[in-house]
Amino acid sequence: MNARLKKILLIVLAGALLFTSGRIQHSLNHDRDTLGLTIAEPLQNAPPLLAFTTVALGGFRGLISNYLWMRANDLQQDDKFFEAAQLANWITDLEPRFSQVWIFQAWNMAFNISVKFKDFGDRWRWVQNGISLLRDKALVYNPDNVQIHQQLAWFYQMKMGDYLDDANNYYKQQWAQEMTPFFGPQGTNTTELLLPGSASASALREKYKIDPAFAEKVNEEWGPLDWRLPEAHAIYWACQGLEDARKHPEKVKESDLIQLRRVIYQSLLQSFRHGRIISDPFTQRVELAPNLDIMDKANDAYMQMFAEETDPSQKNGILIAHRNFLRTAVEYLYMDDRLSEAQKWFKYLGDHYPEKPILDYDPKSLPKTLTLDDYIFRDLTEDAAGTSLDDTTADIEGLLVKSYKNLALGQDDRYQAFQELAQKFYNRYQNKMGISQPRVSLPPMRVLQRQILDQLLDPQGEDSLPYAYRAIIRTQMRMPPETKTSAPFQISTNEVAPTVTSTNTATNAVSK
């Protein structure tokens, strides 16, 4: 047999053996799965490099991975972040079934490396990298993993939605710009994404891994949510994790589910506090305002998560969080002049937690019954010795500033609400302190209003608003246009918004 023919036969034999081993391996995998000998299912649709390393390296993957971990740590210590990030990709490729590997690398990018950069744009890219690592890769290989879902949801809730990072407003603005083409200028367009052949739906599903049908389901259950804000996406991924857990209960520990439940009610709390965008056409920035319309849904979230939880210690934690939420909600509703709703939930708070004093004061110093106004003005209903004229003045002035800024942004309801709340603070203090102790009495409300307007409308003042704001406020309040000679403290009292007389609408009382 000549050498050439021998080589051909060997090649054919090698091919046949490879084919046969592949068929046998498939059978072995099936038998191992049937007998319960497989810790993790074989990787499906893995990239060629990952598939090769998984099979070829075998047990040596652990040694290589250990070396890469040490090398990546050394590079990060030397501030060589981009090389460290490349090694992170290799590490996750070598250990695709270990959820903690994905979580650590994603956290490292979004929380540790990002803050090393002063430029907010650079930080945003690292945050995006961390999210992408979990959303686009980790969930591909670990689709039912509760911890990965929870961590991904937490990135939206904490890193983007909360105020822990100095760049959080930049993150919110960038995310709103990315989401507006999909969910519309109000962030509520979920039904149109369900139309057949929607290009936006395809792009949303492909790039952001968001299923429009599931988003609509989440919005119906917990909304209306503004999907331009990160809290809606935190809730989405937490709900997705719970949905997957229900489909595969055998793969989930009940103790892990509380993490997802917390994300839902905590994100609803954040949405309640700042879940509505007010666009500022003058600065091209966005201001966040409360989304009080989700009050019922947010309350339902606490109750539902409490009902689903089986651990008594965790159930108690949910009740504590629920009580704190109700206290916050009553204040927010009251400050937004939604007094009937504030009264409703104030009574609900007292009825559901009668054993807990609503105020964090000595019960001996409280009356047996407490009105809504008593609750809202708790800082002003302490003993006279504990009431500060300076603090009260600062509170009233802060409310007036908010009211005039909302007037400039076209938020007339919020303008009126803050004006009325300032008047109530004023009346409450005067009734307690002003008559009995004139030396600590407040000046007339019209004087406080005039002083704040003077500060905001003075073109040369340190606290002056931008010209566009000033022009709108002058127009809305029927004041003369601004001129070069405009000076502070020149606004006549009849140009100030009329003082609103406070009336106590909270006649119902709640046991302390």
Side-chain angles (χ1 to χ4, degrees):
M1 181 181 297
N2 60 44
R4 184 174 181 180
L5 180 58
K6 184 177 181 181
K7 289 180 181 179
I8 294 174
L9 291 175
L10 289 175
I11 292 174
V12 172
L13 179 61
L17 290 174
L18 286 173
F19 176 79
T20 303
S21 65
R23 300 295 297 177
I24 294 174
Q25 182 65 46
H26 179 76
S27 176
L28 288 174
N29 287 339
H30 179 270
D31 291 342
R32 290 172 62 189
D33 184 56
T34 303
L35 296 172
L37 302 177
T38 303
I39 298 177
E41 296 178 4
L43 291 177
Q44 302 294 330
N45 301 320
L49 179 61
L50 176 55
F52 172 77
T53 56
T54 302
V55 176
L57 297 180
F60 290 100
R61 284 186 300 158
L63 297 175
I64 297 173
S65 179
N66 287 339
Y67 169 77
L68 293 179
W69 274 100
M70 292 185 289
R71 177 60 179 162
N73 182 69
D74 292 340
L75 289 172
Q76 189 164 329
Q77 293 294 325
D78 295 334
D79 291 345
K80 297 178 180 178
F81 303 117
F82 297 97
E83 295 179 60
Q86 180 59 59
L87 291 183
N89 287 328
W90 294 352
I91 291 171
T92 52
D93 282 347
L94 288 170
E95 302 176 285
R97 292 298 191 186
F98 290 89
S99 60
Q100 291 301 325
V101 172
W102 294 99
I103 291 170
F104 175 86
Q105 296 298 343
W107 263 79
N108 193 42
M109 291 180 185
F111 285 83
N112 297 333
I113 296 179
S114 67
V115 296
K116 297 290 186 179
F117 294 84
K118 295 182 179 179
D119 182 78
F120 287 173
D122 291 334
R123 288 192 182 189
W124 173 235
R125 281 185 282 275
W126 282 102
V127 172
Q128 286 181 303
N129 286 341
I131 291 175
S132 177
L133 193 65
L134 293 179
R135 182 191 65 203
D136 303 339
K137 296 186 66 177
L139 285 178
V140 172
Y141 306 122
N142 306 272
D144 306 319
N145 190 279
V146 170
Q147 291 182 324
I148 292 177
H149 279 92
Q150 185 268 332
Q151 292 294 322
L152 178 57
W154 215 1
F155 276 37
Y156 287 102
Q157 178 195 341
M158 274 186 55
K159 188 63 176 179
M160 294 171 59
D162 212 336
Y163 299 102
L164 302 178
D165 192 317
D166 293 340
N168 73 89
N169 286 330
Y170 182 86
Y171 303 154
K172 293 180 178 72
Q173 188 168 1
Q174 294 299 309
W175 188 247
Q177 290 177 1
E178 289 192 36
M179 292 295 105
T180 297
F182 301 104
F183 296 101
Q186 302 302 318
T188 56
N189 172 28
T190 54
T191 55
E192 291 185 15
L193 291 170
L194 301 179
L195 297 176
S198 172
S200 295
S202 298
L204 186 67
R205 190 181 291 105
E206 181 178 346
K207 183 174 182 180
Y208 298 99
K209 308 301 184 287
I210 295 174
D211 178 7
F214 194 75
E216 172 71 3
K217 178 181 176 182
V218 170
N219 201 59
E220 289 180 354
E221 185 173 9
W222 302 118
L225 299 170
D226 188 334
W227 290 81
R228 297 170 297 169
L229 291 174
E231 285 79 12
H233 297 269
I235 296 170
Y236 174 92
W237 287 108
C239 289
Q240 185 70 70
L242 289 173
E243 182 82 0
D244 292 341
R246 281 189 283 267
K247 293 178 181 177
H248 304 282
E250 73 283 356
K251 298 181 180 180
V252 179
K253 295 180 181 178
E254 178 64 27
S255 58
D256 290 338
L257 298 182
I258 185 59
Q259 306 285 353
L260 296 173
R261 296 186 179 116
R262 282 201 193 106
V263 169
I264 292 175
Y265 64 71
Q266 288 174 354
S267 296
L268 282 167
L269 170 61
Q270 288 183 198
S271 294
F272 182 83
R273 284 175 164 170
H274 57 247
R276 186 164 60 91
I277 292 178
I278 299 176
S279 299
D280 188 334
F282 311 115
T283 62
Q284 303 302 314
R285 299 182 62 180
V286 296
E287 300 290 339
L288 298 183
N291 181 8
L292 305 184
D293 292 336
I294 64 170
M295 176 65 209
D296 289 328
K297 297 291 184 67
N299 182 71
D300 290 345
Y302 287 91
M303 293 294 90
Q304 179 175 323
M305 301 311 159
F306 174 81
E308 292 179 358
E309 182 56 51
T310 58
D311 186 342
S313 63
Q314 298 293 354
K315 291 176 81 75
N316 184 62
I318 295 175
L319 289 180
I320 294 173
H322 181 229
R323 175 174 172 259
N324 291 335
F325 162 70
L326 290 173
R327 296 174 64 175
T328 298
V330 170
E331 294 179 14
Y332 273 61
L333 290 166
Y334 190 99
M335 291 186 68
D336 210 67
D337 203 31
R338 298 168 72 152
L339 300 182
S340 61
E341 294 177 70
Q343 181 61 57
K344 166 190 170 182
W345 291 105
F346 179 64
K347 185 176 185 304
Y348 182 96
L349 172 62
D351 291 343
H352 280 71
Y353 299 97
E355 77 286 357
K356 297 284 187 179
I358 291 178
L359 301 181
D360 292 328
Y361 296 131
D362 182 0
K364 296 179 181 179
S365 68
L366 295 174
K368 292 183 179 180
T369 58
L370 197 68
T371 67
L372 175 59
D373 278 355
D374 290 332
Y375 172 67
I376 295 298
F377 299 107
R378 60 190 182 276
D379 291 333
L380 300 179
T381 55
E382 294 177 290
D383 294 337
T387 303
S388 167
L389 174 64
D390 291 338
D391 290 345
T392 303
T393 303
D395 288 339
I396 294 172
E397 289 180 347
L399 291 168
L400 292 175
V401 169
K402 289 182 178 179
S403 73
Y404 294 126
K405 285 185 175 180
N406 275 280
L407 180 63
L409 293 172
Q411 301 292 312
D412 294 351
D413 290 343
R414 288 177 62 77
Y415 158 73
Q416 188 65 28
F418 282 121
Q419 285 282 335
E420 292 183 7
L421 188 58
Q423 184 68 52
K424 288 185 177 183
F425 264 68
Y426 181 91
N427 292 348
R428 195 82 180 183
Y429 178 87
Q430 287 294 85
N431 290 339
K432 185 163 185 72
M433 302 290 295
I435 297 176
S436 60
Q437 302 185 54
R439 63 184 177 81
V440 291
S441 178
L442 290 163
M445 174 57 92
R446 66 177 183 276
V447 173
L448 294 175
Q449 290 173 315
R450 186 181 69 235
Q451 289 175 351
I452 294 301
L453 273 173
D454 288 339
Q455 294 174 18
L456 299 178
L457 301 182
D458 176 14
Q460 308 302 323
E462 293 183 0
D463 298 322
S464 176
L465 293 173
Y467 173 77
Y469 289 78
R470 303 197 302 266
I472 290 178
I473 291 174
R474 285 180 174 274
T475 300
Q476 291 288 82
M477 304 190 71
R478 299 180 181 177
M479 297 166 57
E482 182 178 305
T483 65
K484 293 182 180 180
T485 59
S486 296
F489 307 108
Q490 296 299 314
I491 303 174
S492 62
T493 56
N494 61 3
E495 291 171 337
V496 180
T499 301
V500 179
T501 302
S502 175
T503 57
N504 185 2
T505 60
T507 57
N508 297 327
V510 176
S511 166
K512 66 180 177 61

